[in-house]
Amino acid sequence: MSEVQDLSGRKAVVTGAARGIGRAIAERLERAGASIVAIDRPGQMDDLPKAWQAIGIDLAEEGAGAALASVAAAHAQVDILVANAGVVPPWRGVAEIDRAEWQRVMAINTWAVAAALGAFVPSLSRSAHASAILMASIAGYKAHPKQVLYTASKHAVIGIMRCAALDLGAQGIRVNALAPGPVATDALLARLDARHAGGGPATDAALRALAHETALGRMASEEDVANAAHFLASDASAGMTGAVLPVEAGLA
């Protein structure tokens, strides 16, 4: 491993760490030497590695901000924050939006991202290698039909990242965003299955179509996203802040 990507002795906090991309990122950072504080919904973390500190917080709940602040106060120094937790709502057009669904998704995908970053600013400011990574999406700069809520939320994440990079740069905290394309997580497969049940294409056919649209002829993987997160967490990206790093195999 390159010395600039060695994370030995550093502490990483990862939200949404129990499964999918968040789990892959936490595992990648641990392999690079970081200790892991994993935050996810209560009851979702029974199979996490014993070396990880597992903390149950439902980021959609009213008390999530206070809970995040409490966790941050217990960790005097944090070197890496990955604000990964998010939710993808069902496909809906702009004429079909639901107020309660909108508020819940925005609470998790935008408010919780900003709240996690804000809570850990004091801890990050004590690190000589502070890096915050916010999980955006290609939906943060590329629109898709019937995804108005998700698209709006990920556009907002990029806005949060750009403002935070300007706010926190003087404290030595770098803030960047990852923008994955479609990744065959359990969550994506479940959505494709549901769409197929409603008359859409078969899941395998949908995955092949997504792969065919990319320059590399395959979809990006959880490992691809985790490797990009490792880069942004490490000193290899020490000159980067306020940037969006796409991981989509050439889809966009």
Side-chain angles (χ1 to χ4, degrees):
M1 181 186 302
S2 170
E3 181 179 347
V4 293
Q5 288 193 269
D6 183 4
L7 303 179
S8 297
R10 302 188 195 182
K11 182 180 295 181
V13 175
V14 183
T15 69
R19 58 175 58 82
I21 289 173
R23 177 72 173 260
I25 289 173
E27 291 174 345
R28 186 70 185 86
L29 299 182
E30 183 184 41
R31 288 199 301 274
S35 61
I36 303 298
V37 178
I39 297 175
D40 213 313
R41 289 180 298 167
Q44 300 294 313
M45 298 178 287
D46 293 341
D47 67 339
L48 291 185
K50 295 187 183 302
W52 295 9
Q53 181 182 359
I55 299 172
I57 301 175
D58 187 336
L59 294 173
E61 294 296 322
E62 186 74 23
L68 288 167
S70 178
V71 174
H75 296 277
Q77 179 176 314
V78 168
D79 306 283
I80 302 156
L81 171 68
V82 184
N84 162 77
V87 61
V88 181
W91 277 275
R92 297 188 196 278
V94 70
E96 303 159 346
I97 58 173
D98 176 83
R99 180 181 176 86
E101 181 178 72
W102 189 281
Q103 291 176 331
R104 178 178 178 274
V105 171
M106 284 295 189
I108 298 170
N109 286 11
T110 63
W111 179 88
V113 168
L117 181 55
F120 282 94
V121 163
S123 303
L124 288 164
S125 68
R126 298 185 184 102
S127 171
H129 308 275
S131 175
I133 302 163
L134 311 188
M135 189 58 66
S137 164
I138 61 168
Y141 53 83
K142 179 181 173 73
H144 297 84
K146 294 191 177 298
Q147 293 186 31
V148 60
L149 172 51
Y150 185 69
T151 299
S153 74
K154 292 304 183 178
H155 272 66
V157 169
I158 292 177
I160 292 166
M161 178 275 295
R162 287 174 172 157
C163 287
L166 295 173
D167 286 346
L168 302 179
Q171 298 181 55
I173 301 172
R174 299 187 297 112
V175 188
N176 294 291
L178 286 172
V183 176
T185 60
D186 290 343
L188 176 62
L189 295 176
R191 292 195 302 276
L192 292 176
D193 287 344
R195 187 169 66 165
H196 176 52
T203 298
D204 287 348
L207 291 173
R208 286 195 298 272
L210 288 170
H212 182 71
E213 292 176 5
T214 70
L216 296 180
R218 66 170 181 85
M219 293 170 60
S221 67
E222 292 177 355
E223 183 179 6
D224 292 328
V225 182
N227 286 338
H230 179 198
F231 168 69
L232 289 179
S234 76
D235 294 345
S237 61
M240 292 177 59
T241 195
V244 181
L245 188 61
V247 188
E248 26 72 318
L251 180 62

